[in-house]
Amino acid sequence: MFTLRKSLSALAVAGLMLGLGAPLAAAQDYQLNVSTALTPEDPIYKGLEQFRDKVAERSAGKLEVRIFPSSQLGKDEDVLEQARAGANVAVLVDPGRLAVFVKDFGVLGGPYLADGFEGMRKVVTSPLFEGWSKQLHDTSGHQILSFNWWQGQRNLLTQKPVTTPADLAGVRMRTPGAPVWMETISAMGATPTPMGFGEVYPALQQNVIDAAEAQDTATHGARLYEVVKHLTKTHHIGLITGLVTSAAWFDGLPADLQAIVREEALSAGDAASKGTEDATATVDADMVSKGLSIDEIDVTPFKEATAGVYDKLGYGELKKEVDAILAK
């Protein structure tokens, strides 16, 4: 995790870059430390490796990307704050965490928004999304490199079978702390309990929580199948995530490096998303072989239960704009 001294040093460097202009380029003059809660086995991590390698190749070694899996640099929220302060860090985050700074991002984390990656990609490469990104840059000090990192559809992880929202009454379920996630899980019938993803395994093991919800590749990578009995295919949230860095750090890059990191982030996000889709059946089969019950259900009761989430959080009109993009 970054120390205060390192953060202050990053701020000092950012201040020099902003005050004096970009420094003279030399080999490995620039470094970006990328954080993710995921493990190296996750397909998304493979995409980050592609991003690292292609940036090094196209920048002729002037920009080095280093990857830190399993939240080694701290919780996602902490890394976002480091980026906001000007540190040379980036983090792969869900839109709910960005909604703290620009509310409109939260709609992307809403229940049953789009059907799969292609639908979500249409939204996050649209002019509507670019407007949110500019607002984020200007108001919070964050820069989105790309937001097309599909981590799959999130499903329920419980100790007992689940077929309707009533089965989740009184169940303490881990979820990220963003309002749209919390409201979705509450509407589904459970009691939302926010905590870092790295804390989920011991919390389930020690009965601090009763359940969790995650995409299948992350469930497999974190070995959560060892501490739950059922994975129920609710597909309640399609998890699209983005690579977010410091606006001050990004603005201090030469224009050619800015273009490289954005282009390669988009390309790597597409590759990682394809990897996620390919990996889901494989990890499901492996988890079943290890004793996890994977249950297919009729999700209609959950769609009906969560339909009011958008209006309740003030996203009703914005969802109509998203629906129009998806209909094209």
Side-chain angles (χ1 to χ4, degrees), residues 91-102:
V91 58
L92 201 63
V93 292
D94 63 84
R97 287 182 172 87
L98 298 186
V100 174
F101 308 106
V102 176

Side-chain angles (χ1 to χ4, degrees), residues 13 42 45 65 67 74 85 87 105 125 159 164 203 245 266 286 292 327:
V13 171
D42 194 284
Y45 188 89
V65 173
I67 311 170
F105 282 104
T125 56
Q159 306 299 359
T164 69
T245 189
L266 186 68
D286 187 59
L292 183 68

Side-chain angles (χ1 to χ4, degrees), residues 69-255:
S70 304
S71 300
Q72 292 177 24
L73 298 185
K75 294 181 181 178
D76 291 348
E77 292 87 351
D78 295 339
V79 183
L80 278 175
E81 284 305 309
Q82 294 167 20
R84 195 179 191 191
N88 58 328
V89 295
V91 58
L92 201 63
V93 292
D94 63 84
R97 287 182 172 87
L98 298 186
V100 174
F101 308 106
V102 176
K103 182 181 176 181
D104 287 356
F105 282 104
V107 73
L108 297 175
Y112 302 104
L113 181 68
D115 185 17
F117 171 61
E118 290 304 322
M120 293 299 289
R121 193 184 190 282
K122 287 175 69 173
V123 179
V124 299
T125 56
S126 69
L128 177 67
F129 184 87
E130 282 301 312
W132 305 344
S133 299
K134 186 178 187 307
Q135 186 180 351
L136 184 75
H137 175 283
D138 295 346
T139 60
S140 77
H142 293 107
Q143 171 68 46
I144 293 175
L145 299 181
S146 74
F147 221 90
N148 60 322
W149 298 72
W150 174 250
Q151 296 191 30
Q153 293 173 306
R154 293 177 77 89
N155 296 307
L156 301 183
L157 303 168
T158 60
Q159 306 299 359
K160 297 179 180 179
V162 173
T163 56
T164 69
D167 296 325
L168 295 175
V171 173
R172 299 164 298 172
M173 181 174 292
R174 180 271 173 182
T175 192
V180 69
W181 295 71
M182 299 274 285
E183 191 60 42
T184 296
I185 296 309
S186 180
M188 292 177 73
T191 301
T193 307
M195 66 174 59
F197 190 67
E199 302 169 33
V200 174
Y201 188 105
L204 286 165
Q205 191 176 45
Q206 297 163 21
N207 297 317
V208 174
I209 55 176
D210 308 305
E213 50 88 40
Q215 63 278 19
D216 293 12
T217 51
T219 297
H220 185 264
R223 304 179 71 89
L224 298 183
Y225 54 82
E226 296 178 345
V227 286
V228 295
K229 297 176 181 178
H230 294 269
L231 186 158
T232 304
K233 294 275 190 174
T234 47
H235 304 311
H236 52 277
I237 290 173
L239 183 55
I240 195 78
T241 55
L243 198 55
V244 181
T245 189
S246 162
W249 177 83
F250 180 83
D251 290 347
L253 292 176

